[in-house]
Amino acid sequence: MESAAKLRAAIEKANYEYHVLDSPTISDEQYDALLRALLRLETEHPELVTPDSPTQRVGAPPSERFRPVRHVAPMLSLGNAFDAGEVRAFDQRVRKLLGRTEPIEHATSGIDYVCELKIDGLAVNLTYVDGRLVEGATRGDGTVGEDITANLRTIKAVPLALRERTKGRIDVRGEVYLPVRSFEATNRERAERGEPLFANPRNAAAGAVRQVDPRKTAERDLSIYVYSAAGLDVPTQHQLLERLKALGLRVNPKWRLVTGADEVIGYAAERHAEREELGYGVDGVVVKVDAIADQERLGYVARTPRWAIAYKFPAEQATTAVEDIKAYVGRTGVLTPVAWLAPVQVGGTTVKRATLHNLDEVRRLDVRVGDRVVVQRAGDVIPEVVAVIDADRAGRGDQWQMPSRCPECDGPVEHREDEVAYRCANPSCPAKQGQRLGHFVGAMDIEGAGWAFLSQVQDRGLVSDPADLFDLTMDQLTALDRYAEKSASNLYQRIQAAREQPLARVLVALGVPHLGWTTSEVIAQWLADDLGPKATLRAVFDRLRATTPEELQATPGIGPIVARTITEWFADPAERAFLDKLARHVRPAMPERRAVAAASPFAGKSVVFTGTLERRSREDAEELVRSLGGKASGSVSKKTDLVVAGSGAGTKLDKAKQLGVAVIDEDEFDRLLRT
Ligand code: IVH
C-alpha cells in the first residue's frame, strides 16, 4: 500500500535529517505522529510490515548469547603518536615508503591526509546487502566479533536501509558512543538505584551494546559515527566519507583534508581546544593517507596500517591538595590506596579521589597527606596521581603506611613477597563479599539487585557468597525493606533466570583476577569444544581444576600471567565450597562446538603464504586459516593444498608451480574467506 511506503519514507527522511545532518525539518510531535500513523497501519495490515520499517527497530526477542561473526577483513587497531614529533616521524615514513622524499628546500607538495576525530566508543561493523542492513557486529578480537544486529538496529542513527539501493555487500565501520550528557544521566540514575557507576562513556556504551535484551539497548541514547567501508569503490578517504554521508550514514562533520604534517598538527590543536564542547568523548585525532592507492602501497605491519596513525590528546591534568590517603578494599580483597583530594576540575569533571594503585606507587611518588599533587584523567574517568610538586617543603607529614588490619573488617592484612598487592586475609570480610556480590549480580545481569538489596541480605546473614543468592526464597525477599510483593517477585524471577546464563557470563561473575569478558569467552569456547554442549558447571570446574597453565596458554588469546592466575584460583581450596555450591544451582548455556570442519573452504587443508600480502600480515592470514580448521605451513611440499601468493613471491611460488599446487592471490583468498 502506498501510504505505508510514504510514511516510512517520511520517517526515514526525518531520521536522516535529525541524526545524520543534525538539522531536523519537522518537530518531535510531528515525528511521533508519523510513527504512530505507521504503527497503526502496520498493526491493521501486518502484511505491510517490512524488516527495514522504522517500527521494526526494537523487534527482536532477547537473545541468549551473541553469535560469533567473522569479519570480511580484520578490524585493525592504530599505532599511536603522542606528540608533534611523532606525527612528523609518521609523515616522514609515509613519504619515504611512497618515494616522495625530497630535500626540504625543494619540497613542493606534501602528502594529503584526512584528519578525523578519534571517537572514544566501541568499534562496530555494519553489513549492508543491496542497501539493507543485514548484520551488525562488535569488533571482538578483530577477527571474530559478536552478532549484535538486534541491538544496533535500535540506534536511530543507524539506517536500516541506505538512501540508495547499492548493489552487493558493503561493510561499514564506525564507532558507537554515548553522548556525555546521556552518560551523566545514566550514572545519576544508577547512583539513585544504588547500582555501580560506569567509569566512562565508553564502558556505558559497551554495556548497552551487549545487552541481551535489545529493549535495554534502546533505552540508552546511543549514537554512531562511521569512518570507513569496504565495498564502496572510491579513490580517496575524503570521497569515502562524502559517499557514506550521501548514503545516509552518520559521518562526524569535523573531518578535514589537509596537506603535510604541519597542517595535521594544526588540526589536532584546534580539535583539542574545543574538546570539552563536543558533547562526546574524543581521545585524539586519526590521520589517514587520503589516496586509497597509496594506502594499498603502504600496507600493514602486524595488525596496524602503515597509512594511518592515532594522534592522542595529552591527558587532562590539574593540581590540588591531598587531604587524606585511605585503603579501599576491592572484591578480591586487595587494598588499594586512594588519595582524597580537595575537589578540582580536571577536563570538565570534578575530581575528589584519585587512585594511587598500590604501595609501591605511593613510595615511588612519595606522596603524603598535605602534599600538592598533579592529578590526571587519561582515557578513563578514574583519575590518578602522577606527581608530587612540593615534596621539598618543610614540615611534611610522615610516609603513608598500609594498614596492618583491614579497614572494613579488622581482619589481618597479608602480603606475599612476590606480589605488589596487600590483601585482607579474612575470607568473610564484608567489603570483599559485598564487592564480590556486586560484581556477580552485574556480570550475571540480575537486574534490580542493587547495593540496597545486597547490603540487606548480607546484614541479615542470608547471603555470604554469591551462590547463596540462589537459595533466597520469596518470603525472604518480601521481608526486605523496600521490597513489595511485586518487586520481590521480579527480583526472584531474575535470580532464577540467571541460573541459565551463558558460560562466559558465569566465568566472569566468579571474579577471578584477570578473567574478564574476552578471556572468559575464549575459555568458554575451549571448554565447550572439549566437554561438549551438555557439560554441567561441575564438569567445567573439574576441568579447570585439572588444567595446567601450559595447557591454557596454548589457547590463542591467553597469556602466561592470565593462565597462571586462573589455574591457581580454581585450584585454591578456599574457593572449593563456593564453587561446589554454585555448581548445584547454575546450569549455564554452553557455547556451541565450533563447527568449522565441514563448512570452511580451508578445513583440513594445508596452506602456504608467500610474498607480501596487502591487507593483512602473514601471521594474521595464517591465524585466519587455522581458525577455519586449516593448517598454515611455512614451506611448499607435495602435501600443500594451496599457496597464497602476495607481491614479490619467489622460490615458494616457483616450487608450487613445479609441483602443480594450486596458487591464488590475495583477492581470491578474500573471496574464499567470504564463502
Ligand atoms: S580508523 C585501520 N577512524 O580507534 C583503521 N578508527 O585504534 C582503523 N576509532 O578500533 C580504524 N574513531 O574503534 C578510525 N575516525 C576513526 C576512529 C577510529 C575511533 C577507533 C576504532 C578503532 C580504534 C583504532
Side-chain angles (χ1 to χ4, degrees):
M1 204 196 272
E2 202 193 36
S3 59
K6 272 199 183 143
L7 282 169
R8 238 169 252 148
I11 294 167
E12 281 306 344
K13 176 166 172 287
N15 268 342
Y16 175 65
E17 289 167 346
Y18 184 93
H19 292 285
V20 179
L21 303 181
D22 279 329
S23 64
T25 54
I26 63 170
S27 68
D28 289 0
E29 290 73 28
Q30 285 170 315
Y31 179 86
D32 288 341
L34 287 173
L35 199 61
R36 272 200 307 276
L38 180 61
L39 253 176
R40 201 176 319 123
L41 200 62
E42 289 183 347
T43 318
E44 284 161 16
H45 304 278
E47 73 280 5
L48 294 179
V49 180
T50 57
D52 58 359
S53 172
T55 57
Q56 301 301 301
R57 286 197 180 264
V58 187
S63 63
E64 266 299 299
R65 62 187 98 108
F66 303 108
R67 192 176 56 87
V69 173
R70 182 163 294 279
H71 300 305
V72 264
M75 290 179 79
L76 305 166
S77 52
L78 291 170
N80 290 323
F82 292 101
D83 57 39
E86 291 179 359
V87 172
R88 291 212 171 82
F90 163 75
D91 175 56
Q92 275 291 330
R93 208 159 52 237
V94 167
R95 292 198 298 160
K96 185 159 162 251
L97 289 165
L98 293 177
R100 289 209 225 138
T101 35
E102 2 179 330
I104 291 292
E105 60 270 27
H106 299 123
T108 43
S109 61
I111 304 280
D112 283 344
Y113 294 107
V114 170
C115 298
E116 300 166 17
L117 288 176
K118 186 166 188 302
I119 313 292
D120 194 12
L122 200 86
V124 296
N125 185 80
L126 302 170
T127 306
Y128 289 88
V129 172
D130 297 337
R132 292 186 193 280
L133 178 67
V134 296
E135 190 175 83
T138 62
R139 175 176 188 278
D141 63 3
T143 308
V144 178
E146 289 177 313
D147 180 352
I148 50 161
T149 315
N151 292 350
L152 291 179
R153 288 173 66 94
T154 69
I155 302 175
K156 298 222 183 56
V158 171
L160 302 179
L162 299 177
R163 291 176 66 75
E164 200 180 288
R165 186 73 191 268
T166 47
K167 280 263 164 317
R169 171 171 181 155
I170 300 172
D171 283 89
V172 179
R173 283 169 184 180
E175 200 85 354
V176 168
Y177 70 93
L178 192 65
V180 174
R181 272 177 48 197
S182 318
F183 161 69
E184 285 169 353
T186 304
N187 260 356
R188 264 197 306 279
E189 286 162 20
R190 291 176 74 86
E192 276 161 25
R193 287 198 302 261
E195 292 168 9
L197 304 188
F198 290 116
N200 54 42
R202 179 163 29 86
N203 287 355
V209 152
R210 297 185 78 268
Q211 287 290 337
V212 264
D213 184 350
R215 280 171 304 191
K216 290 237 206 91
T217 312
E219 284 169 12
R220 302 260 175 88
D221 183 26
L222 294 172
S223 192
I224 190 170
Y225 281 125
V226 304
Y227 47 73
S228 78
L232 286 174
D233 194 21
V234 285
T236 59
Q237 171 69 10
H238 79 272
Q239 281 160 301
L240 177 66
L241 294 177
E242 284 163 352
R243 181 95 173 98
L244 288 170
K245 179 171 173 183
L247 288 173
L249 290 148
R250 194 155 182 266
V251 173
N252 186 284
K254 296 278 179 184
W255 65 269
R256 188 187 296 166
L257 180 59
V258 305
T259 306
D262 286 335
E263 289 186 23
V264 169
I265 293 160
Y267 170 88
E270 281 176 45
R271 299 288 84 77
H272 184 233
E274 64 183 17
R275 179 182 192 183
E276 296 305 328
E277 281 110 69
L278 289 171
Y280 43 87
V282 167
D283 56 351
V285 302
V286 181
V287 185
K288 303 175 183 175
V289 170
D290 189 39
I292 308 284
D294 285 344
Q295 292 183 1
E296 285 169 0
R297 284 175 59 201
L298 289 162
Y300 301 82
V301 247
R303 294 186 143 270
T304 59
R306 271 197 292 237
W307 47 266
I309 198 161
Y311 180 15
K312 292 290 193 72
F313 288 152
E316 309 280 351
Q317 294 189 335
T319 62
T320 186
V322 176
E323 296 182 334
D324 202 355
I325 299 175
K326 292 185 183 173
Y328 165 89
V329 193
R331 113 180 104 76
T332 50
V334 172
L335 273 66
T336 303
V338 173
W340 293 53
L341 306 167
V344 62
Q345 289 282 315
V346 188
T349 55
T350 309
V351 168
K352 292 183 206 144
R353 307 206 209 310
T355 180
L356 292 163
H357 302 289
N358 53 54
L359 189 60
D360 283 4
E361 181 70 0
V362 175
R363 291 285 176 268
R364 190 184 69 79
L365 295 165
D366 189 25
V367 58
R368 305 179 191 195
V369 175
D371 287 352
R372 286 198 71 74
V373 291
V374 178
V375 286
Q376 155 172 314
R377 241 185 62 202
D380 280 3
V381 166
I382 298 171
E384 55 179 4
V385 172
V386 289
V388 175
I389 47 182
D390 57 352
D392 48 5
R393 72 178 199 283
R396 267 181 105 203
D398 295 333
Q399 268 199 345
W400 183 77
Q401 303 299 336
M402 189 60 91
S404 56
R405 316 288 309 180
C406 170
E408 293 288 340
C409 71
D410 205 36
V413 169
E414 59 176 26
H415 174 58
R416 273 175 38 184
E417 278 312 313
D418 61 339
E419 258 197 352
V420 178
Y422 285 70
R423 297 170 196 276
C424 168
N426 173 11
S428 46
C429 170
K432 223 149 108 173
Q433 286 180 346
Q435 299 285 334
R436 192 170 183 180
L437 280 169
H439 172 80
F440 185 87
V441 298
M444 293 289 266
D445 199 25
I446 306 180
E447 205 195 330
W451 293 111
F453 159 76
L454 293 178
S455 52
Q456 284 192 66
V457 288
Q458 260 195 296
D459 291 349
R460 294 173 191 221
L462 297 173
V463 170
S464 63
D465 68 39
D468 294 335
L469 289 168
F470 297 103
D471 280 326
L472 290 172
T473 64
M474 257 308 279
D475 287 345
Q476 286 170 330
L477 290 178
T478 27
L480 299 178
D481 294 340
R482 304 214 317 237
Y483 279 83
E485 187 76 27
K486 179 87 169 46
S487 44
S489 142
N490 283 343
L491 183 53
Y492 184 78
Q493 306 282 336
R494 294 236 168 226
I495 296 174
Q496 302 318 310
R499 292 174 191 264
E500 287 166 23
Q501 285 289 20
L503 179 59
R505 266 188 189 278
V506 179
L507 292 177
V508 172
L510 297 176
V512 182
H514 299 305
L515 192 48
W517 285 105
T518 313
T519 314
S520 292
E521 262 150 33
V522 172
I523 293 191
Q525 187 63 58
W526 168 71
L527 287 160
D529 293 345
D530 197 58
L531 301 170
K534 295 243 159 61
T536 61
L537 194 53
R538 166 168 304 280
V540 163
F541 291 155
D542 286 342
R543 184 70 182 84
L544 285 167
R545 266 189 286 266
T547 187
T548 58
E550 292 71 35
E551 189 187 17
L552 273 188
Q553 239 177 288
T555 317
I558 297 188
I561 299 180
V562 178
R564 207 194 72 188
T565 328
I566 293 174
T567 39
E568 276 179 9
W569 192 89
F570 280 97
D572 186 350
E575 302 294 350
R576 185 78 200 219
F578 161 58
L579 292 179
D580 285 351
K581 205 174 354 158
L582 195 66
R584 260 181 268 127
H585 289 293
V586 175
R587 171 130 207 167
M590 298 290 284
E592 271 157 48
R593 263 205 171 108
R594 251 173 304 199
V596 280
S600 145
F602 301 105
K605 296 270 163 66
S606 167
V607 183
V608 174
F609 291 89
T610 173
T612 312
L613 300 179
E614 297 273 328
R615 284 180 288 280
R616 51 182 71 75
S617 68
R618 192 180 295 181
E619 295 77 52
D620 284 350
E622 292 179 347
E623 184 56 41
L624 272 170
V625 166
R626 277 193 289 270
S627 66
L628 290 167
K631 226 180 84 200
S633 159
S635 57
V636 179
S637 74
K638 276 189 304 229
K639 293 203 188 112
T640 310
D641 294 296
L642 187 65
V643 168
V644 183
S647 55
T651 46
K652 288 185 201 170
L653 180 57
D654 296 341
K655 180 122 189 244
K657 285 182 183 153
Q658 213 182 331
L659 292 170
V661 174
V663 177
I664 61 171
D665 64 8
E666 193 176 6
D667 288 340
E668 184 60 29
F669 178 65
D670 276 342
R671 262 191 294 281
L672 280 178
L673 282 177
R674 280 195 288 269
T675 55

